Structures are given as C-alpha cells and as structure tokens.
Amino acid sequence: MHAVFTVIKEHLKNFYLIQRLAQFQLKISNHDNYLGLAWELINPILQIFVYWFAFGFGIRQNAPIDGVPFILYLLVGISMWFFVNQGVLEGTKSIGSRFNQVAKMNFPLSAIPAYILTSRFYGHIILVIVIMLICMASGIVPSIYVIQLIILMPFVYIFAFSVSLLTSTLGVLIRDTQMAMQALLRMLFYLSPILWIPDKGSVVEMIMKLNPVFFFAEGYRAAILYNNWYIIDHWQLALYNVCVTLLFFVVGSILHVKFRQRFADFI
C-alpha cells in the first residue's frame, strides 16, 4: 500500500500545478485552430449527429425510450463516453510521449496522466452543461436528482485516471498497449447501453453491467432525464464499480511506482 499512498501524496502536493498544466494543455491542443476551444464541443456534436442518424433515425426510426426522445437519451449517455474514451487513450500514451520533457524536472510522473485527464474533464463539464440546456429547451427540466452528478462526474474522473495510471505504465513497458486499448474501448462502447438497450433482466444485460460504462451512462440518464436515485436504487452495481476502480488504482499505483525509475531504459 506504500505505492498507493505515494501516488495520492504526489497528487495532493501538486494539485495546483496539475490544474495549471491542464489549462495549458487545453490551450495548446487547439492553439493552431481558428475556432480554438470551440472544437471541444464541435467534435462530439458531429459524432453524436452521426450516431443519431445511423442508430436513432435509421435503425430505431427515432422511437422514444421510456418517454424520452432518442436524441436526448443518446446525448446524455454518450457525454460521459467522450471523456472516458479520449481521456484513457491520451492518458495511455501520456508518460511515453512526455517522459523526455519532465525527466530532468522535479515533477512526479504519476501526475502526467492526471493533468491530461483534467484538461479533458474541463471540456466534459462544459458538454454536460450544454446538454442539460438542450434538455431544458426540450421540456425536461433538471430536478433535485441532478445532484447525483456531483458524485458521478468525479467518480468517472477517478475511474478514468485509475485506468490511465495503469495503462500509461504498461504503455511504456509494452508498446502494443495503445493499440490494445483502442480495440478494447471500441468493444466496451458497443457493450454498453449508449446506443441500444438490452432486455431487462436478460443475460445480455447482466454481462453489460460488468462494463463500468453501463453504470456511468445509466447514472447520468437517471440524474438528468429520468429523475430517480440511481446510485441508491442500484447500490450493488455502484459498489461493484467502486471495487473495480480501486482495483485499477491499486494495481496501477504499484506498477507505476515499481517501474518508473526504469522508464528511461524502456523508452
């Protein structure tokens, strides 16, 4: 557990620096674009339109789900996915691609995935706010249940960081990690209730619940669209995802602290 406390201590000590680096990363990512930070919203909106046209309008004939228009159902569920997908993929290659920049600095390597994720998290917050405004314009007004997002959004961040801490270490040790994560995340996307809904109580639904994305997507929808305490009503699923996140964090911390002194040799 020494490695776990080491990582936590490094992040608490460098919290302010991580925020500054995240803001800087957000600016340089869109520095050469005429529209700048607007691309943080344009890109997901274009992808959402394609998914809606193919899966909603094309396959489902835009039929509502539990009284909610499919486009709103899709918007809320997929908002979380954009952050997890982009954050984990960029976090996986974060240490390997930036090691030479920080190797001679007094800067903890475990904080590199953190500031990359934090830069993405800013865009995630803005996207969720925009989607909530769209829902309000469509007649779905947020209620007291929306406060679940205060728990769910940090939970999504911690999950993505825990995964990134592990995969960023493996990315230095094993070059194929980046490609493996791309394939795995693509598979997890289609094994989630973002685009389609499995039958309640079916074997397919039970398998899909093993995917943490299931809990996050349904939790966001419960908070914004369906007005129920998803975390409380499905506390067993919430506990399962807490355990999964802790497992990734503990294993990631142990491997990171064990091998980071040798990162230069592998790179």
Side-chain angles (χ1 to χ4, degrees), residues 64-84:
I65 298 178
D66 295 333
V68 175
F70 180 78
I71 184 62
L72 299 182
Y73 180 89
L74 174 63
L75 279 171
V76 176
I78 207 170
S79 62
M80 164 279 311
W81 173 254
F82 286 131
F83 167 67
V84 171

Side-chain angles (χ1 to χ4, degrees), residues 118-189:
T118 302
S119 68
R120 285 296 177 184
F121 193 64
Y122 291 148
H124 174 59
I125 294 174
I126 295 174
L127 180 61
V128 170
I129 293 174
V130 170
I131 290 174
M132 290 177 64
L133 292 175
I134 294 174
C135 291
M136 291 175 64
S138 302
I140 300 178
V141 181
S143 63
I144 187 65
Y145 300 96
V146 80
I147 64 174
Q148 292 177 97
L149 293 178
I150 299 176
I151 299 175
L152 287 169
M153 293 178 72
F155 192 179
V156 171
Y157 176 90
I158 295 171
F159 169 77
F161 170 73
S162 299
V163 175
S164 297
L165 183 62
L166 174 60
T167 57
S168 61
T169 301
L170 293 177
V172 176
L173 306 179
I174 307 172
R175 295 295 181 176
D176 293 342
T177 301
Q178 183 71 21
M179 298 301 296
M181 288 305 301
Q182 290 180 6
L184 179 60
L185 286 170
R186 192 177 300 116
M187 181 179 68
L188 291 179
F189 176 69

Side-chain angles (χ1 to χ4, degrees), residues 239-256:
L239 181 60
Y240 162 77
N241 282 276
V242 169
C243 293
V244 170
T245 301
L246 286 175
L247 178 62
F248 275 115
F249 182 69
V250 171
V251 175
S253 299
I254 293 173
L255 289 179
H256 178 85

Side-chain angles (χ1 to χ4, degrees), residues 62-116:
N62 208 29
I65 298 178
D66 295 333
V68 175
F70 180 78
I71 184 62
L72 299 182
Y73 180 89
L74 174 63
L75 279 171
V76 176
I78 207 170
S79 62
M80 164 279 311
W81 173 254
F82 286 131
F83 167 67
V84 171
N85 184 56
Q86 295 174 354
V88 170
L89 287 179
E90 292 186 16
T92 299
K93 63 181 180 181
S94 60
I95 294 179
S97 61
R98 292 169 176 81
F99 180 79
N100 292 331
Q101 300 175 11
V102 300
K104 298 180 180 180
M105 299 170 56
N106 185 21
F107 184 78
L109 296 179
S110 65
I112 297 178
Y115 85 75
I116 297 298

Side-chain angles (χ1 to χ4, degrees), residues 22-40:
Q23 295 167 17
F24 179 73
Q25 176 68 26
L26 193 60
K27 291 179 181 179
I28 64 174
S29 296
N30 301 280
H31 177 70
D32 295 328
N33 301 323
Y34 286 111
L35 297 180
L37 296 177
W39 282 107
E40 297 295 322

